[in-house]
Amino acid sequence: MLLPIVQYGDPILRKQCKPVGNTDPALRELVDNMLETMADANGVGLAAPQIGEDLQLAVVDVSHDPECVTYLKVNGKDAEIADIMPLVFINPTLEYGQEKETEYEGCLSIQGIRTEVRRPAEVMATLPQLDGTTLVIETDGLLARALQHEIDHLNGILFVDRLSAVGKVSVKNRLKRLLSEREE
Ligand SMILES: [Zn+2]
């Protein structure tokens, strides 16, 4: 089932989401719906607050671009993008590398804005799974960026918060317009 995607200005996008406790059938159904909604929207990621759920839960799929990372380790072993996609995780934690990189980003909750965001190039993400196991993913490229973007959502942070001072000025009017469209 396709779920409506919450848009910029909705207070749920600013929440520090609650940790997921039990992974019951209802949660699995929600995950299936999130995967379907992400694919339908051609997104590379979708976080639970974006479909109105206050939960530390997100999905990521970068399988359209298997060369989008220069390395990928899963639980310490070399792996391929296809081995772990689509990625579903709850209650994640992230560690960042020192080096930063600037790339274009957009968000399914902020329509019509695509702009450059500077972020750490490499991450180590600890991603508890619905089945009780945990994936530790070390990577860079688009996957590192998508993980940071989605995990930001679980902490009430949007990519427009991560822009440079100049970048923030450049999107200010477009964000205002999105808010006023909401109120109409
Ligand atoms: Zn987003």
Side-chain angles (χ1 to χ4, degrees):
M1 188 176 81
L2 292 179
L3 305 168
I5 299 175
V6 166
Q7 293 301 309
Y8 183 74
D10 190 304
I12 196 160
L13 294 176
R14 292 308 192 177
K15 283 200 82 166
Q16 168 71 49
C17 293
K18 292 195 191 89
V20 173
N22 56 342
T23 53
D24 54 15
L27 190 83
R28 283 161 198 271
E29 193 186 333
L30 180 68
V31 166
D32 287 344
N33 291 336
M34 285 174 67
L35 289 169
E36 195 183 333
T37 302
M38 171 177 65
D40 179 72
N42 293 315
V44 297
L46 187 67
Q50 292 182 277
I51 44 96
E53 295 288 338
D54 174 8
L55 288 172
Q56 286 187 36
L57 162 69
V59 297
V60 165
D61 194 347
V62 297
S63 55
H64 68 286
D65 188 359
E67 306 295 317
C68 71
V69 301
T70 63
Y71 69 94
L72 173 62
K73 278 185 190 291
V74 178
N75 297 338
K77 290 188 188 137
D78 289 328
E80 299 290 329
I81 288 284
D83 299 339
I84 54 163
M85 295 293 144
L87 198 49
V88 176
F89 55 88
I90 55 174
N91 311 331
T93 53
L94 256 189
E95 289 173 50
Y96 307 98
Q98 290 293 315
E99 204 182 306
K100 294 203 172 182
E101 199 169 69
T102 303
E103 273 299 337
Y104 277 87
E105 262 178 65
C107 180
L108 296 177
S109 295
I110 308 180
Q111 306 251 318
I113 299 183
R114 235 186 120 67
T115 188
E116 288 183 312
V117 188
R118 191 165 167 79
R119 294 186 185 267
E122 298 176 279
V123 297
M124 182 168 83
T126 303
L127 307 176
Q129 302 292 290
L130 295 184
D131 65 3
T133 62
T134 296
L135 294 182
V136 177
I137 291 183
E138 296 166 78
T139 194
D140 64 355
L142 177 62
L143 180 54
R145 185 165 290 269
L147 287 168
Q148 292 178 70
H149 181 117
E150 298 315 321
I151 294 172
D152 269 354
H153 272 301
L154 306 182
N155 295 308
I157 298 167
L158 301 171
F159 82 99
V160 290
D161 304 334
R162 299 275 189 204
L163 303 183
S164 64
V166 172
K168 279 183 179 155
V169 170
S170 77
V171 298
K172 199 174 155 201
N173 286 333
R174 278 180 285 168
L175 288 174
K176 260 194 204 155
R177 210 174 310 139
L178 288 178
L179 287 183
S180 63
E181 282 165 10
R182 263 179 74 78
E183 282 151 18
E184 275 163 16

Coordinates of all heavy atoms in Angstrom, one line a residue, residues 1-7 10 12-13 29-31 33-38 46-55 57-59 108-109 153:
M1 N 0.8 -1.2 0.0 CA 0.0 0.0 0.0 C 0.9 1.3 0.0 O 1.8 1.3 0.8 CB -0.9 0.0 1.3 CG -1.9 1.1 1.3 SD -3.0 0.9 2.8 CE -1.9 1.7 4.0
L2 N 0.6 2.2 -0.9 CA 1.3 3.4 -0.9 C 0.9 4.3 0.2 O -0.3 4.5 0.5 CB 1.1 4.2 -2.3 CG 1.7 3.5 -3.5 CD1 1.4 4.3 -4.7 CD2 3.2 3.3 -3.4
L3 N 1.8 4.9 0.9 CA 1.5 5.8 2.0 C 1.7 7.3 1.6 O 2.7 7.6 0.8 CB 2.5 5.5 3.2 CG 2.5 4.0 3.6 CD1 3.6 3.8 4.6 CD2 1.1 3.7 4.3
P4 N 0.9 8.2 2.1 CA 1.2 9.6 1.8 C 2.5 10.1 2.4 O 2.7 9.7 3.6 CB 0.0 10.4 2.3 CG -0.9 9.4 3.1 CD -0.2 8.0 2.9
I5 N 3.3 10.9 1.7 CA 4.5 11.4 2.2 C 4.3 12.7 2.8 O 3.8 13.7 2.2 CB 5.6 11.4 1.1 CG1 5.9 9.9 0.6 CG2 6.9 12.0 1.7 CD1 6.8 9.8 -0.6
V6 N 4.7 12.8 4.1 CA 4.5 14.1 4.9 C 5.4 15.2 4.3 O 6.6 14.9 3.9 CB 5.0 13.8 6.3 CG1 5.2 15.1 7.1 CG2 3.9 12.9 7.0
Q7 N 4.9 16.4 4.2 CA 5.7 17.4 3.5 C 6.2 18.5 4.5 O 5.7 18.6 5.6 CB 4.8 18.1 2.5 CG 4.5 17.2 1.3 CD 5.8 16.7 0.6 OE1 6.7 17.5 0.2 NE2 5.9 15.4 0.4
D10 N 5.3 20.0 8.4 CA 4.7 19.1 9.3 C 5.6 18.9 10.5 O 6.7 18.6 10.4 CB 4.4 17.8 8.6 CG 3.4 16.9 9.5 OD1 3.8 16.6 10.7 OD2 2.4 16.5 8.9
I12 N 6.0 16.6 12.6 CA 6.6 15.3 12.8 C 8.0 15.2 12.2 O 8.8 14.5 12.7 CB 5.7 14.1 12.3 CG1 6.2 12.8 13.0 CG2 5.6 14.1 10.8 CD1 5.2 11.7 13.0
L13 N 8.2 16.1 11.2 CA 9.6 16.1 10.6 C 10.6 16.7 11.5 O 11.8 16.6 11.2 CB 9.5 16.8 9.3 CG 8.7 16.1 8.1 CD1 8.7 17.0 6.9 CD2 9.3 14.8 7.8
E29 N 4.5 -4.9 8.3 CA 3.6 -4.4 7.3 C 3.9 -2.9 6.9 O 4.0 -2.5 5.8 CB 2.2 -4.5 7.7 CG 1.2 -4.4 6.6 CD -0.3 -4.4 7.0 OE1 -0.6 -5.0 8.1 OE2 -1.1 -3.7 6.3
L30 N 4.2 -2.2 8.0 CA 4.6 -0.8 7.8 C 5.9 -0.7 6.9 O 6.0 0.2 6.0 CB 4.8 -0.1 9.1 CG 5.2 1.4 9.1 CD1 4.1 2.3 8.6 CD2 5.7 1.9 10.5
V31 N 6.8 -1.5 7.2 CA 8.1 -1.5 6.4 C 7.8 -1.9 5.0 O 8.3 -1.2 4.1 CB 9.1 -2.6 7.0 CG1 10.2 -2.8 6.1 CG2 9.6 -2.0 8.4
N33 N 5.1 -1.3 3.3 CA 4.5 -0.2 2.7 C 5.5 1.0 2.5 O 5.4 1.7 1.5 CB 3.3 0.3 3.6 CG 2.2 -0.6 3.6 OD1 2.0 -1.4 2.7 ND2 1.4 -0.6 4.7
M34 N 6.4 1.1 3.4 CA 7.5 2.1 3.2 C 8.3 1.8 2.0 O 8.7 2.7 1.2 CB 8.4 2.3 4.4 CG 7.7 3.0 5.6 SD 8.7 3.0 7.1 CE 10.1 4.0 6.6
L35 N 8.7 0.5 1.8 CA 9.5 0.1 0.6 C 8.8 0.4 -0.7 O 9.3 0.9 -1.6 CB 9.9 -1.4 0.8 CG 10.9 -1.7 1.8 CD1 11.0 -3.2 2.0 CD2 12.3 -1.1 1.5
E36 N 7.5 0.1 -0.6 CA 6.6 0.3 -1.8 C 6.5 1.8 -2.1 O 6.6 2.2 -3.3 CB 5.3 -0.3 -1.6 CG 4.4 -0.5 -2.8 CD 3.0 -1.0 -2.5 OE1 2.8 -1.7 -1.5 OE2 2.1 -0.7 -3.3
T37 N 6.4 2.6 -1.1 CA 6.2 4.1 -1.2 C 7.5 4.7 -1.7 O 7.5 5.5 -2.6 CB 5.8 4.7 0.1 OG1 4.6 4.0 0.5 CG2 5.6 6.2 0.0
M38 N 8.6 4.2 -1.2 CA 9.9 4.7 -1.6 C 10.2 4.4 -3.1 O 10.6 5.3 -3.9 CB 11.1 4.1 -0.8 CG 12.5 4.4 -1.3 SD 13.8 3.8 -0.2 CE 13.5 2.0 -0.4
L46 N 13.7 6.5 2.8 CA 12.5 7.0 3.4 C 12.5 6.7 4.8 O 12.8 5.5 5.2 CB 11.2 6.3 2.7 CG 9.9 6.9 3.1 CD1 9.7 8.3 2.6 CD2 8.8 6.0 2.5
A47 N 12.3 7.7 5.7 CA 12.3 7.5 7.1 C 10.9 7.5 7.7 O 10.0 8.2 7.1 CB 13.1 8.6 7.7
A48 N 10.6 6.8 8.8 CA 9.3 6.7 9.3 C 8.6 8.0 9.5 O 7.4 8.1 9.2 CB 9.3 5.9 10.6
P49 N 9.2 9.1 10.0 CA 8.5 10.3 10.2 C 8.0 10.9 8.9 O 7.0 11.6 8.9 CB 9.6 11.3 10.8 CG 10.9 10.6 10.6 CD 10.6 9.2 10.6
Q50 N 8.6 10.5 7.8 CA 8.1 11.0 6.5 C 6.8 10.4 6.1 O 6.1 10.9 5.1 CB 9.1 10.7 5.4 CG 10.4 11.6 5.5 CD 11.3 11.2 4.4 OE1 12.1 10.3 4.4 NE2 11.3 12.1 3.3
I51 N 6.4 9.3 6.7 CA 5.1 8.8 6.5 C 4.2 8.9 7.8 O 3.2 8.2 7.9 CB 5.1 7.3 5.9 CG1 6.1 6.4 6.7 CG2 5.5 7.4 4.4 CD1 5.5 5.6 7.7
G52 N 4.6 9.8 8.6 CA 3.8 10.2 9.8 C 4.0 9.3 11.0 O 3.2 9.4 11.9
E53 N 5.0 8.5 11.1 CA 5.3 7.6 12.2 C 6.4 8.1 13.0 O 7.6 8.2 12.5 CB 5.5 6.2 11.7 CG 4.3 5.5 11.0 CD 3.2 5.1 12.0 OE1 3.4 5.0 13.2 OE2 2.1 5.0 11.5
D54 N 6.2 8.3 14.3 CA 7.3 8.7 15.2 C 8.1 7.5 15.7 O 7.9 7.0 16.8 CB 6.6 9.4 16.4 CG 7.5 9.8 17.5 OD1 8.8 9.7 17.3 OD2 7.1 10.2 18.6
L55 N 8.9 7.0 14.8 CA 9.7 5.8 15.1 C 11.1 5.9 14.5 O 11.2 6.4 13.4 CB 9.0 4.5 14.5 CG 7.7 4.1 15.1 CD1 7.1 3.0 14.2 CD2 7.9 3.5 16.5
L57 N 13.0 4.3 12.5 CA 12.9 3.2 11.4 C 13.0 3.9 10.1 O 12.5 5.0 9.9 CB 11.5 2.6 11.5 CG 11.0 1.8 10.3 CD1 11.7 0.5 10.2 CD2 9.5 1.5 10.5
A58 N 13.9 3.3 9.2 CA 14.1 3.9 7.9 C 14.4 2.8 6.9 O 14.8 1.7 7.3 CB 15.2 4.9 7.9
V59 N 14.2 3.1 5.6 CA 14.6 2.2 4.5 C 15.5 3.0 3.5 O 15.3 4.2 3.4 CB 13.3 1.6 3.8 CG1 12.5 0.8 4.8 CG2 12.5 2.7 3.2
L108 N 12.1 13.6 -0.4 CA 10.8 13.4 -0.8 C 9.8 14.3 0.0 O 8.7 14.5 -0.4 CB 10.4 11.9 -0.6 CG 11.2 10.9 -1.5 CD1 10.8 9.5 -1.1 CD2 11.0 11.2 -3.0
S109 N 10.3 14.8 1.1 CA 9.4 15.7 1.9 C 9.6 17.2 1.6 O 9.0 18.0 2.2 CB 9.6 15.5 3.4 OG 9.2 14.2 3.8
H153 N 16.7 12.4 9.5 CA 15.3 12.4 9.7 C 14.8 11.9 11.0 O 13.9 12.4 11.6 CB 14.6 11.6 8.6 CG 14.3 12.3 7.3 ND1 13.6 13.5 7.2 CD2 14.7 12.1 6.0 CE1 13.5 13.9 6.0 NE2 14.2 13.1 5.2

